[in-house]
Structures are given as structure tokens and as C-alpha cells.
Amino acid sequence: MTDDPAQLRRTLAAAIPVEDSAWRDALEAVPRELFLDDTVFRPSGTQWEPVHRHTTGDDEWLRLVYQDTTWVTQIDGTAAADAPGPLAGRPTSSSTLPSLIVRMLDLARIREDDKVLEIGTGTGYSTAILCHRVGDKNVYSIEYDPHLAAAAADHIHAAGYSPTLITGDGLAGHQDAADYDAIVATCAVRHIPPAWLYQVRDGGTITTTISGWMLASGLIRLTVHDDGTATGHFAGDQIGYMLARPHERPPRPTYYQHPGNTRPARLDPGLLDDWTGQFLAQLAAPSAELMTTGDGVILVDVATGSQAWTEPAGNGWQVHQHGPLHLWDAVEDALTIWQAAGAPPQSEFGMTVGADGTQRVWLGEPDGPAWCLPV
């Protein structure tokens, strides 16, 4: 007997905790299978393997579709359906796991009849969920990739929804329909684009993930104030989205270690394995990439070529630093402040966007220790 998609949707929705039960209703109503076409990627070692509906069979395909997981649909611009076989590369589009979609919408406190701008249409699944909650006329969704945008439009219309869909740079928002009650981004950003602030009504919200070139993330809801500033606290969720393409890391030459100044490390580089520890390292060295080895960590600054790497030394660690930026010094200073405060979780951090355009992530209170985002 073929699995019943409606029952699979009900089972999925029942397993996802939400504060606003309307999001559970939306999960039960929107058929996710319409948004995945017939092929997705799944990880296979260091590559991404295409999985086809015609090889798995309809029942197994529906069970995959209704797992609470993210299904990658594009690798470096190649759609899963077009892949000749397993591919190496970075995901550039996906169908986000349903629990994360409704978690962000729940966190944004979106209510019936709110006007919402979604940054990143993707497959269109989250757009359809929004439409079910607030109505088609209140949903505006913008997608950077024209091929994804066209496919998403087909998916959304097949599901019976008709929001306003825009193809363009989501970081510029969509001024034509401003002001919005809420902006929700299904991609991560290194800083809040000024256009988003201008397009949200006073008292409206921006819900997004702050990320960077170390791929650390923090989920936050900001409230926009009438003086052009915005403030908010990070949630404790350990989630991440792909960076918006204009905020992606630039190409970096092959890494070669260079001789540098050596000193004992004050902290164990294993602190960067902690979700909040890595986020702090990224705040302290925002233009650096992070690599890990069996012997420690490597930081490489994309802008200046500066390097830092750690290695065991006796019962502790030592660090080598090369170039104009002392990357490990900055990271250690941030981690030391965090540890002195008791190593609190990310929910103890907040963010302020100033009227002068500065964007600061702070610990504890707005006047506490702070790090500026690369605006």
C-alpha cells in the first residue's frame, strides 16, 4: 500500500514543537513533495550523491521527503536533477528542514495578516508555509538565482498559492512593497543589510542568522526602532543557513604555512569546537577562515594573508602567527572574556545596529564587551 502523504505530513507536524499551533497547521497542509521535484543530493563521504525518485520508489521517496531534514538541491549551481553522478562542492540551495522553517517563523512572532518579506525563496516550501499562515497577498519572497526562482514559482503555484515573487538581490530587499511587519531570511548574512532596516516598519522585526567565513552562526530576532536602530537577543538554537551569495567567502589560494612568531597558547584551541566558542572566534577575526587538523586549528585571513596555527607543546599548546594581523591574539582575547563571564550560551549575547551604521554583538548587556561586525 502506498504511503499517504497527508498522514506523513501530520506525523511530521506532530513531532515538531511550536509555540503558535498555526505553524503546525501549515506543515500539515503544504505538500513538501511538490517542492523537491524528483531528485535531491545526500552526503556520501566528501561528495554529494544524487538520489532519484525513480530509483528509490514512490514510498521510500515520500518517507525521505517527510523526514525532518534538509535536502540539498543544488551544488555550486548544479541542480540535483542535472548531476551526472556524485559531486564535490558546496551546497548553494536546499529545502530546509521543516522544524527550522517553523522555528524561525515562530521566533519572528509572525501573526495572521502580517506583511512579510522572505529573503531566499529557495524551493518555495517555506514561502508556501508563510502563505498558508498570513495569506498570499501578504507574502513577498525574493530569490537571487533566476533558475531557482522559476522552479520555485512552479512549485508554489502547483501547491495552490500565489504570493508576490521577485528575482533579484535579497540583500537589497523589495522597496516597492515596504513597509513590512517582518523580514525573515532563509540565508545567513555577515551583517544586517541597511535596506532591510529601512523597509521594516517601526516596531517590526528582522529574523535571520548572523554567520561568517568560519561558518559559525547565531539566530537572532531584531526589533527595528523609529530612530533607525535595531536591537535584539540571540536565540540559543544551534542552527545555520548557507551564507547569502554576496556575503560568501572569496576564493583563497592554496594554504601554505609561513614561518611566524611562536608563543605558548593561553587557551586550548579545542574551545573552538564549542558552538559559542567558534562564534566568538569569528567575531574576533571576521575575515579569517577556520580549518582544523588533528593537531589543532588553522586560521587564515582572507584579506591580509595573515595566519595562525596551533600545535601541542608539552602538556599544553603553542601558537604560530604570521602576517600583519595577530589572529590568535584576537581570538584568545575574546574567548578569555567569555570564559571570565562563565562561558554563557549564545542566548546571553545580543546585538545592536546603531544609527551610525555600526553593528555590534555584545555579551550580557549592550554596554558590555562587544565586537563589531564587518559592515
Side-chain angles (χ1 to χ4, degrees):
M1 180 178 176
T2 302
D3 284 337
D4 176 16
Q7 181 56 50
L8 291 171
R9 289 196 293 274
R10 287 191 291 270
T11 300
L12 172 67
I16 295 176
V18 291
E19 291 184 18
D20 182 350
S21 62
W23 298 119
R24 187 173 292 115
D25 296 340
L27 287 174
E28 291 182 0
V30 177
R32 194 185 188 198
E33 65 271 22
L34 293 181
F35 297 86
L36 290 177
D37 296 320
D38 293 324
T39 314
V40 296
F41 286 108
R42 65 181 170 195
S44 177
T46 59
Q47 294 187 308
W48 294 91
E49 174 192 14
V51 180
H52 303 277
R53 181 173 186 161
H54 69 267
T55 57
T56 64
D58 287 347
D59 284 356
E60 179 60 24
W61 178 257
L62 285 172
R63 285 192 286 269
L64 290 175
V65 166
Y66 285 106
Q67 289 178 13
D68 186 29
T69 192
T70 293
W71 289 112
V72 172
T73 55
Q74 189 186 73
I75 298 292
D76 288 333
T78 299
D82 298 331
L87 298 179
R90 288 192 292 188
T92 46
S93 185
S94 65
S95 178
T96 301
L97 67 163
S99 61
L100 176 52
I101 291 172
V102 296
R103 167 58 179 152
M104 286 198 67
L105 298 176
D106 221 9
L107 180 66
R109 296 178 185 168
I110 292 169
R111 295 295 182 261
E112 187 176 358
D113 293 330
D114 278 354
K115 184 163 66 170
V116 182
L117 175 63
E118 178 188 42
I119 309 298
T121 313
T123 66
Y125 179 57
S126 56
T127 315
I129 288 175
L130 264 172
C131 288
H132 187 84
R133 178 68 175 99
V134 302
D136 295 9
K137 65 181 176 60
N138 291 317
V139 176
Y140 299 78
S141 186
I142 185 165
E143 172 57 50
Y144 183 83
D145 185 316
H147 298 292
L148 291 177
D154 289 342
H155 299 154
I156 292 165
H157 296 150
Y161 300 103
S162 300
T164 300
L165 301 174
I166 306 104
T167 302
D169 181 5
L171 301 186
H174 181 57
Q175 180 62 43
D176 291 354
D179 293 338
Y180 301 98
D181 296 296
I183 291 179
V184 178
T186 61
C187 58
V189 291
R190 297 181 74 208
H191 59 82
I192 302 299
W196 295 3
L197 295 163
Y198 305 148
Q199 293 175 23
V200 173
R201 67 167 175 80
D202 297 346
T205 62
I206 297 170
T207 303
T208 188
T209 43
I210 299 296
S211 187
W213 294 345
M214 293 191 195
L215 305 184
S217 292
L219 174 62
I220 192 166
R221 182 187 67 243
L222 294 164
T223 299
V224 179
H225 308 295
D226 59 6
D227 60 358
T229 65
T231 55
H233 270 86
F234 285 88
D237 305 65
Q238 296 188 6
I239 63 95
Y241 276 107
M242 302 173 196
L243 275 166
R245 297 190 192 189
H247 284 200
E248 270 283 9
R249 297 168 290 179
R252 177 179 50 78
T254 302
Y255 169 70
Y256 296 103
Q257 282 188 355
H258 294 290
N261 297 321
T262 304
R263 67 165 175 83
R266 290 182 282 130
L267 296 177
D268 186 337
L271 287 172
L272 272 65
D273 293 335
D274 181 273
W275 182 270
T276 306
Q278 187 174 338
F279 187 66
L280 269 168
Q282 182 174 269
L283 293 174
S287 56
E289 293 187 44
L290 170 67
M291 295 175 279
T292 58
T293 70
D295 294 329
V297 300
I298 300 169
L299 301 175
V300 181
D301 187 76
V302 176
T304 67
S306 300
Q307 300 178 1
W309 69 96
T310 63
E311 61 183 1
N315 294 325
W317 297 84
Q318 64 181 7
V319 59
H320 307 266
Q321 299 187 94
H322 166 85
L325 297 182
H326 294 174
L327 299 174
W328 189 251
D329 289 0
V331 168
E332 268 192 342
D333 288 346
L335 292 172
T336 298
I337 291 169
W338 175 56
Q339 286 202 312
Q346 215 167 48
S347 55
E348 294 299 313
F349 288 76
M351 180 175 167
T352 299
V353 180
D356 59 356
T358 57
Q359 300 190 19
R360 301 165 61 253
V361 173
W362 36 263
L363 172 58
E365 299 292 339
D367 59 354
W371 298 266
C372 289
L373 295 179
V375 178

